[in-house]
Amino acid sequence: MPSSVMPTPRQDGGHTPPAAVSTVDLRKSYGDKVVLDGIDLHIPAGSVFALLGPNGAGKTTAVKILSTLITADGGQAQVAGHDVAMSPDGVRAAIGVTGQFSAVDGLITGEENMLLMADLHHLPKQEGRRVTAELLERFDLTEAAKKPASTYSGGMKRRLDIAMTLVGNPRIIFLDEPTTGLDPRSRHNMWQIIRELVTDGVTVFLTTQYLEEADQLADRIAVLNDGKIAAEGSAEELKRLIPGGHVRLRFTAPDAYRSAADALREVTRDDEALALQIPSDGSQRELRSLLDWLDAAGIEADELTVHTPDLDDVFFALTGDTDKPKESVR
């Protein structure tokens, strides 16, 4: 097994826990179309990882491989310490999966859908009813529990779908566009639920069409394009990859404004607003350097703001898509 997916030895002779999810050179093709072209992932336990990419980039294929629904053509993958190819049952016992399309049975009630999942997880009857009641309340479905799921709105079905995923108390959850169809309030409620899961030690592997969602939730984000990981890092790290970041200094004293404008290089002036725009990646080092220079020069700005590109800018720059279609990140 490659060393990059093995526990790392410590000096005290023990081992650090393995990643919740890891892949090395993961590959998958459909005919002549290469969908995954050797991707490497390392996702720590108890974190949220978001996978972004254009339609057809391979996000759902990656989820299907890691959740044992399909097999890879090459490479290795481990989930919850189990090799996906060699120990699929071990993987399945540790994970929950919510796909793009609802698994809810519309012919039975929401409560019956939940109890069915409890039976599939071999929970004792009393325990199954307790877990069902708890999750229905948590997802604001108690009032609708006795109604056929076919009468639920799209958002209610989605909440029920995710509640069903949690019946078996999985330690790793794959959420493939989990908030599609939810209104803004329900989406924010779902974000809070995901945060609470992570606080409890659950690992979340998220694909989403909402860049704000990745920005709000993910500890690390990877952008998948043409079958490869185009970039990976925290939201802030990814934003610093894209030009356009700057620091804006605003002054109320014209003398201080002119002194700073004359002394600083590569500065854009706004004489009417008494404001200067200085290219910056927004890093702590650059900000400290700028503040130290202002102090040394005896110049005091009345307002300092940092502007960095957002994830939309990052996504379109990395995927080469400048038209910004609404559904571009499925």
Side-chain angles (χ1 to χ4, degrees), residues 185-202:
R185 181 183 297 276
S186 297
R187 184 175 301 128
H188 280 80
N189 289 341
M190 189 65 66
W191 292 355
Q192 185 57 39
I193 289 170
I194 292 173
R195 293 185 183 106
E196 290 170 0
L197 289 171
V198 175
T199 300
D200 293 338
V202 173

Side-chain angles (χ1 to χ4, degrees), residues 249-288:
L249 300 176
R250 189 184 62 79
F251 301 84
T252 55
D255 290 345
Y257 167 71
R258 284 192 293 269
S259 296
D262 292 342
L264 289 169
R265 292 179 294 178
E266 298 183 22
V267 64
T268 302
R269 299 174 55 138
D270 184 342
D271 293 338
E272 183 176 344
L274 299 182
L276 302 175
Q277 183 172 302
I278 306 154
S280 171
D281 64 7
S283 67
Q284 182 177 336
R285 176 180 296 178
E286 283 203 0
L287 289 176
R288 183 184 296 115

Side-chain angles (χ1 to χ4, degrees), residues 81-217:
H82 302 280
D83 186 280
V84 170
M86 302 298 293
S87 181
D89 289 342
V91 173
R92 292 168 193 151
I95 68 172
V97 182
T98 299
Q100 291 186 24
F101 304 102
S102 175
V104 171
D105 186 338
L107 299 178
I108 59 178
T109 69
E111 182 181 58
E112 287 168 340
N113 270 279
M114 296 288 291
L115 292 172
L116 177 60
M117 289 301 297
D119 288 342
L120 291 173
H121 283 283
H122 307 293
L123 296 183
K125 292 292 184 185
Q126 186 173 354
E127 176 70 3
R129 290 195 172 277
R130 184 192 67 78
V131 170
T132 291
E134 179 182 292
L135 287 170
L136 288 171
E137 181 177 0
R138 188 175 188 181
F139 283 80
D140 195 23
L141 292 168
T142 301
E143 289 187 11
K146 302 292 186 182
K147 298 177 181 178
S150 59
T151 66
Y152 288 14
S153 68
M156 291 172 66
K157 286 180 180 177
R158 197 58 170 164
R159 296 205 307 275
L160 178 60
D161 202 12
I162 296 177
M164 291 164 60
T165 300
L166 299 180
V167 167
N169 194 29
R171 305 314 297 162
I172 300 171
I173 301 176
F174 294 93
L175 300 179
D176 200 3
E177 301 192 14
T179 61
T180 297
L182 299 187
D183 59 69
R185 181 183 297 276
S186 297
R187 184 175 301 128
H188 280 80
N189 289 341
M190 189 65 66
W191 292 355
Q192 185 57 39
I193 289 170
I194 292 173
R195 293 185 183 106
E196 290 170 0
L197 289 171
V198 175
T199 300
D200 293 338
V202 173
T203 305
V204 176
F205 187 114
L206 171 75
T207 74
T208 178
Q209 61 173 301
Y210 301 111
L211 294 170
E212 180 192 7
E213 187 160 271
D215 204 350
Q216 287 282 335
L217 293 175

